[in-house]
């Protein structure tokens, strides 16, 4: 699934509702990352994920390349893009969404060494964890109360 598809939209809408209810004012930054999966090429020329027990040496391609990964990490469904645009267009909105595509530049976990003993399954388990969307909340400065006001 694309990083900002309809399934992610449901999660973001629910999160924005909860943030509104909590009185949050600021930016919900969505950092999108693409994992570098092990792919094998089929006889018909199409690429698919390597089999779990397949040696890494059989991977015909690892990852998408930096430029293509960046493009993939920015993909949005029409509904998601419309939701973000509607929030941006509402001058009274206290919450904004910032989509930050990062491609494959920041893996959270290191990939295993490419050795004769390593398998596509081991590699792709790490790639799956590196294939993610992280959420960062950035509160508006005026909305942050000094600590003395908290008590």
């Amino acid at each position: 699934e694309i990083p900002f598809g309809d399934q992610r939209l449901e999660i973001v809408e629910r999160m924005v509702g909860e943030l509104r209810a909590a009185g949050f004012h600021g930016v919900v930054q969505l950092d999108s990352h693409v994992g570098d999966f092990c792919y094998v090429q089929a006889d018909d020329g199409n690429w698919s994920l390597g089999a779990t027990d397949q040696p890494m040496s059989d991977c015909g391609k690892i990852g998408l390349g930096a430029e293509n990964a960046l493009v993939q990490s920015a993909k949005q469904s029409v509904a998601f893009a419309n939701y973000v645009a509607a929030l941006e267009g509402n001058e009274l909105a206290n919450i904004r969404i910032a989509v930050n595509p990062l491609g494959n530049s920041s893996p959270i976990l290191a990939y295993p060494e490419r050795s004769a003993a390593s398998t596509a399954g081991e590699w792709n388990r790490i790639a799956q964890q590196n294939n993610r969307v992280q959420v960062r909340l950035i509160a508006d400065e005026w909305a942050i109360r000094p600590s003395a006001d908290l008590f």
Side-chain angles (χ1 to χ4, degrees), residues 96-113:
R96 296 161 317 277
I97 303 289
V99 173
N100 186 27
L102 296 170
N104 58 359
S105 64
S106 303
I108 197 166
L109 295 176
Y111 290 94
E113 281 192 45

Side-chain angles (χ1 to χ4, degrees), residues 6-28:
D6 295 342
Q7 195 173 25
R8 183 90 53 212
L9 173 58
E10 289 177 25
I11 295 167
V12 169
E13 283 179 318
R14 192 169 43 250
M15 180 178 49
V16 166
E18 291 173 10
L19 289 169
R20 271 196 185 116
F24 177 80
H25 291 258
V27 176
V28 175

Side-chain angles (χ1 to χ4, degrees), residues 129-151:
Q129 293 176 66
N130 288 331
N131 194 64
R132 69 203 187 280
V133 173
Q134 289 179 297
V135 178
R136 288 196 279 162
L137 302 178
I138 305 166
D140 288 336
E141 283 187 36
W142 63 266
I144 300 173
R145 296 182 184 155
S147 59
D149 291 344
L150 297 176
F151 298 101

Side-chain angles (χ1 to χ4, degrees), residues 3-4 32-34 68-75 99-104:
F4 303 110
S32 172
H33 304 266
V34 174
N68 195 7
L70 193 59
V71 169
Q72 291 300 317
S73 68
K75 289 197 172 183
V99 173
N100 186 27
L102 296 170
N104 58 359

Side-chain angles (χ1 to χ4, degrees), residues 66-84:
E67 189 173 316
N68 195 7
L70 193 59
V71 169
Q72 291 300 317
S73 68
K75 289 197 172 183
Q76 301 178 21
S77 69
V78 171
F80 191 96
N82 287 342
Y83 178 76
V84 171

